Amino acid sequence: MDKKQVWKPGNMLYPVPAVMVSCADKQGNKNIITVAWTGTICSDPAMVSISVRPERHSYSMIRETGEFAINLTTKELTYAADWCGVKSGRDVDKFAAMKLTAMSGEKLQYAPIIAESPVNLECRVTEVTELGSHHMFLAEIEDVLISEKYMNDNGKFELNQTGLVAYSHGEYFILGEKIGKFGYSVKK
């Protein structure tokens, strides 16, 4: 059996999705923040969470409007996702700098979606929990927009063909080889 080292408490739950969260304020100023602390929290109603530091530029936008969009990141979008995570929207227009298209979605009034992302989740904040270094925004998913180029001939969305990216311990990875599917361990 492997010997274990004991470390101080810390976030070591990896891999996680690396997503770009788009938002805007009521004056129309748009921004993108890269978030790895996000996740599904409920299926009915469909809900997600994101955790953001209050000093981040996007935080006040999300707080003001109660809206944001989660945009899934692909191999082609990884450079932009990383760049948007280290640059501040206070100093630069991230959409322009990364040549990303801010597009109106279907349900949100303020927060744009990123057109180049294959999946966009339009989210409306239902609750903010102030946890410490980060505040967690709980949100209902108002709708999901998907890129038609990933629809197969049978009308199935081929999400796993989009080149999705995960973040693990400071590094980005493309999701790889399929090793099973839900329920395969008990299938007869």
Side-chain angles (χ1 to χ4, degrees):
M1 185 181 312
D2 285 341
K3 184 177 178 185
K4 299 282 186 175
Q5 291 184 9
V6 177
W7 289 9
K8 69 177 184 170
N11 294 310
M12 194 59 75
L13 180 61
Y14 291 113
V16 293
V19 300
M20 291 186 285
V21 173
S22 49
C23 56
D25 61 22
K26 290 184 177 180
Q27 291 71 46
N29 299 303
K30 300 177 295 295
N31 197 39
I32 302 168
I33 181 174
T34 302
V35 174
W37 293 359
T38 184
T40 299
I41 58 171
C42 190
S43 58
D44 188 16
M47 294 183 74
V48 291
S49 68
I50 61 170
S51 292
V52 180
R53 288 182 182 270
E55 58 270 16
R56 296 293 298 261
H57 184 56
S58 294
Y59 178 89
S60 61
M61 294 177 167
I62 297 169
R63 208 55 203 232
E64 176 187 5
T65 64
E67 298 179 358
F68 61 88
I70 294 176
N71 306 274
L72 297 190
T73 302
T74 61
K75 177 182 177 182
E76 293 77 23
L77 293 171
T78 303
Y79 182 88
D82 185 68
W83 194 90
C84 289
V86 296
K87 297 291 185 177
S88 174
R90 287 183 185 93
D91 305 323
V92 64
D93 178 341
K94 294 180 185 183
F95 280 97
M98 290 292 101
K99 296 179 175 57
L100 296 173
T101 308
M103 185 174 126
S104 294
E106 296 293 318
K107 301 279 185 167
L108 302 182
Q109 182 177 355
Y110 302 103
I113 64 168
I114 298 172
E116 292 79 6
S117 175
V119 178
N120 318 93
L121 290 81
E122 290 191 289
C123 304
R124 191 167 315 282
V125 175
T126 60
E127 184 178 334
V128 181
T129 303
E130 298 181 7
L131 298 170
S133 64
H134 289 69
H135 294 181
M136 182 172 56
F137 292 94
L138 301 180
E140 284 196 29
I141 301 170
E142 296 285 317
D143 67 7
V144 178
L145 303 168
I146 60 170
S147 176
E148 290 184 357
K149 76 179 187 178
Y150 295 105
M151 297 296 292
N152 71 19
D153 292 339
N154 297 324
K156 179 184 178 199
F157 180 52
E158 297 287 351
L159 176 63
N160 294 325
Q161 301 305 312
T162 64
L164 294 174
V165 172
Y167 180 80
S168 182
H169 202 56
E171 299 175 313
Y172 302 98
F173 295 89
I174 298 171
L175 297 186
E177 175 185 356
K178 176 180 162 183
I179 59 171
K181 66 179 189 175
F182 180 76
Y184 85 100
S185 64
V186 295
K187 186 176 180 182
K188 295 182 183 193

